[in-house]
Amino acid sequence: MSNSYAIAAATATLHDILVRVRTPLPNDPSSDPDLAETVISAKPLDKARDPEGKNQLNIFLYHLVTDAQLRNTPAFGTGNGETARQPPVALRLYYMITAYGSKDEDTLAHRLLGRAMSLLQDRAVFMPADIQAALPGNDLYRQVERVRIVPHTITTEELSKLWTTFQTNYRVSTAYEVSVVLIDSTQTRTTPLPVLRRGPLDDGVAVFPSTLPPYPTLSEIRLPARQPGARIESGGLPGDVLTLIGNNLAGATVNIRLTNRWLTAPFVLTPLADPTASQVQIQLPDNQTDLPAGIYTVSIGVTNPGDSERISNTLAFPLVPRLLPLASHAVATDASGNATISLHVSPDAWPDQPVSLLVGDREYRANPRTTVTNSLTFALKPAVIGDHFLRVRVDGVDSFVIADYTATPLVFDPDVKVTIS
C-alpha cells in the first residue's frame, strides 16, 4: 500500500524518466547537444512555458478517476501485523506531456517528444527503485499492484477544450495513463472474534415458511371509530384505546413505545391484555406532563425466551389536545374592540410548543409561557363579534370541534362555543 504521497510520487517518477531525454538513446546519433539542456517541468498549461525559451517537456496531470475494479475490494491486511484497513483509494492518473522547442522551434519539439515517447515505451512499468528514489517519504513502491504507464487516446475535441480552458496556444502534446495508484486508508477496520455459536441457543438460522416477515411488523393503527386522532385520559374522561394491527406482535414481553419530537426518550406502555400475533391494544393514560400533544410514532418491542428484543417498524398518529370545560361561554370586547380568552387544555402545553386558538376562521397565538402548564391565555386583536366554535391547535394538531364522531349526522360541540359581544 502507499501513503498520500502516491500521486506526487507517480508524477516525480515520470519526471525522472523524462530527464533522460538529455542524453542520446541507443539508436540516436552519438551526440545531440541541442537537447542536452532540456528543462523538465510540471506546471499547468498556461504557466508551463519556460521564460528563457529553452527546450522543454512539461508534465501536466489533467484528470484522475477512481479505478472501478479495485474500488470495492475487501480490506487489505498489513504486513506488520496491524489491524486490516478499509479499502484504499484506487486511482487512474491522466497526464499530458507537451514539448517545446528552443525559441519555439517545432523541429526540436518533435525530436524531444519522440525521445520522450521512446523512453516511456521502454518503461511501461515503473520500477520500485525508481519510484522510491523519485520522492523522499513516499511508499508507492511497496504496493502490490504495479504502476503502469500506457498511451492514452485523446480526441482533437478534448484537446481543444483543454487548451481553451487555460486560454493559451496549443503545442504538440501526447497523453498517458498511469495506473493503478493506491492510497492506503488510515481508518482501521474491526476484527471480530470467530463465531462460537449461531443464535442464542446455537440452533442456527430460524426458517419461517411464510411470505410474512419473521419479525414484529406494524401495518395499521386503528383509532376510535371515525376519530381523526387520539386523546389521553383527563378531566374524568377516559383515554382513547388504540388497536395496533400487524404480524408477530405476541411474545413473553411486549412493550409499546411512543416517541415525539419533544421527548428525550420513548414513553413505554404495556398492552391492555395479552396481545395476539396480529393485534395489540393500548389505552392512553392520564399523564398531563410527559405526553405533550402533537404527532407521535408508535413501535412495538417483542422479547421471547432466549432471544433479544426485536423492535418493529413505526407508524404515526396525532395525539389531540382536549379543550377542557370553559369557565364562560360569553366574551366581551373592550373599548378597542379587543378581547382576551383564558382556557385550560389537556395535556399540558410545553413552553416551546407552538399553540394557537382558532376562533371561527381566525387564528390567534397564545401568550408566551415559561413553564409546562394547562392554562393558556389568548389576546384577540381584534376580536370578531358573533358566535364561534373554539379549537386549540398545539404543535399542528387541532382539538376536536365535533361533539360525537359516531353520531349521524355530525354536529359541532356546543361546549366549545362562545359568544363574543
Side-chain angles (χ1 to χ4, degrees):
M1 304 307 298
S2 53
N3 56 28
S4 60
Y5 282 20
I7 299 175
T11 304
T13 304
L14 186 56
H15 176 280
D16 287 358
I17 293 174
L18 294 181
V19 166
R20 302 177 190 183
V21 300
R22 297 172 181 172
T23 58
L25 299 181
N27 295 327
D28 287 350
S30 58
S31 63
D32 197 348
D34 293 334
L35 305 183
E37 301 296 328
T38 298
V39 175
I40 311 298
S41 60
K43 298 180 180 179
L45 299 181
D46 58 333
K47 303 182 184 302
R49 187 61 175 122
D50 183 78
E52 297 182 7
K54 297 180 180 179
N55 293 321
Q56 181 183 357
L57 285 174
N58 185 68
I59 305 165
F60 175 52
L61 176 61
Y62 70 91
H63 188 49
L64 54 83
V65 298
T66 56
D67 186 280
Q69 181 179 359
L70 294 177
R71 182 176 183 179
N72 295 320
T73 54
F76 285 77
T78 57
N80 58 1
E82 293 179 358
T83 304
R85 298 180 183 275
Q86 297 286 353
V89 180
L91 298 174
R92 294 180 177 271
L93 313 180
Y94 294 91
Y95 290 92
M96 178 176 290
I97 298 176
T98 304
Y100 300 89
S102 177
K103 299 179 181 179
D104 294 328
E105 174 58 52
D106 271 358
T107 302
L108 291 173
H110 298 165
R111 288 162 61 185
L112 267 176
L113 193 60
R115 186 172 288 185
M117 296 179 71
S118 178
L119 286 167
L120 295 176
Q121 175 71 15
D122 294 340
R123 293 162 178 81
V125 178
F126 287 175
M127 293 294 101
D130 294 338
I131 299 174
Q132 183 179 10
L135 182 65
N138 91 86
D139 54 3
L140 179 63
Y141 63 93
R142 292 181 177 177
Q143 73 174 32
V144 177
E145 295 286 340
R146 295 298 86 195
V147 182
R148 294 171 172 82
I149 179 167
V150 295
H152 176 67
T153 301
I154 185 169
T155 65
T156 305
E157 181 181 2
E158 291 172 321
L159 273 174
S160 175
K161 289 181 178 179
L162 192 58
W163 285 88
T164 302
T165 299
F166 287 91
Q167 299 182 357
T168 187
N169 295 326
Y170 171 77
R171 303 299 299 173
V172 61
S173 306
T174 185
Y176 283 85
E177 176 188 299
V178 175
S179 62
V180 60
V181 173
L182 304 177
I183 300 178
D184 194 10
S185 171
T186 59
Q187 186 68 39
T188 59
R189 294 188 62 167
T190 58
T191 53
L193 293 172
V195 175
L196 298 181
R197 60 180 183 176
R198 300 170 300 167
L201 302 178
D202 198 21
D203 52 3
V205 179
V207 178
F208 297 89
S210 172
T211 57
L212 298 175
Y215 40 81
T217 305
L218 291 177
S219 58
E220 181 185 355
I221 299 179
R222 292 180 183 173
L223 300 170
R226 302 175 67 181
Q227 284 187 191
R231 297 178 294 184
I232 66 172
E233 179 182 351
S234 60
L237 300 173
D240 288 329
V241 175
L242 305 184
T243 303
L244 309 180
I245 306 298
N247 303 307
N248 300 305
L249 305 182
T253 303
V254 177
N255 291 317
I256 291 83
R257 291 174 168 83
L258 303 182
T259 59
N260 174 274
R261 70 184 184 121
W262 300 101
L263 303 183
T264 58
F267 188 89
V268 180
L269 295 174
T270 56
L272 281 178
D274 291 338
T276 65
S278 61
Q279 179 175 303
V280 177
Q281 286 190 320
I282 57 171
Q283 184 170 24
L284 296 181
D286 181 6
N287 189 313
Q288 301 299 314
T289 58
D290 296 329
L291 290 174
I295 301 299
Y296 279 76
T297 58
V298 59
S299 62
I300 292 183
V302 177
T303 307
N304 287 304
D307 195 5
S308 58
E309 184 180 37
R310 296 177 180 267
I311 308 297
S312 73
N313 59 311
T314 61
L315 297 178
F317 73 94
L319 183 61
V320 179
R322 288 182 189 266
L323 186 56
L324 299 181
L326 302 176
S328 173
H329 292 273
V331 178
T333 60
D334 59 18
S336 301
N338 302 326
T340 299
I341 293 181
S342 297
L343 47 81
H344 294 82
V345 296
S346 169
D348 295 350
W350 290 24
D352 294 329
Q353 278 190 297
V355 178
S356 57
L357 179 66
L358 307 182
V359 182
D361 59 357
R362 301 292 183 92
E363 182 174 0
Y364 301 92
R365 297 302 296 267
N367 291 352
R369 307 169 306 282
T370 58
T371 60
V372 175
T373 180
N374 71 342
S375 180
L376 302 173
T377 302
F378 302 87
L380 281 55
K381 297 181 179 181
V384 182
I385 304 300
D387 295 333
H388 303 284
F389 292 94
L390 302 182
R391 290 166 290 163
V392 175
R393 176 172 293 170
V394 181
D395 227 6
V397 178
D398 294 356
S399 62
F400 292 162
V401 72
I402 303 298
D404 184 359
Y405 278 94
T406 62
T408 302
L410 297 175
V411 296
F412 291 121
D413 186 355
D415 290 336
V416 298
K417 183 179 180 181
V418 298
T419 300
I420 300 178
S421 58

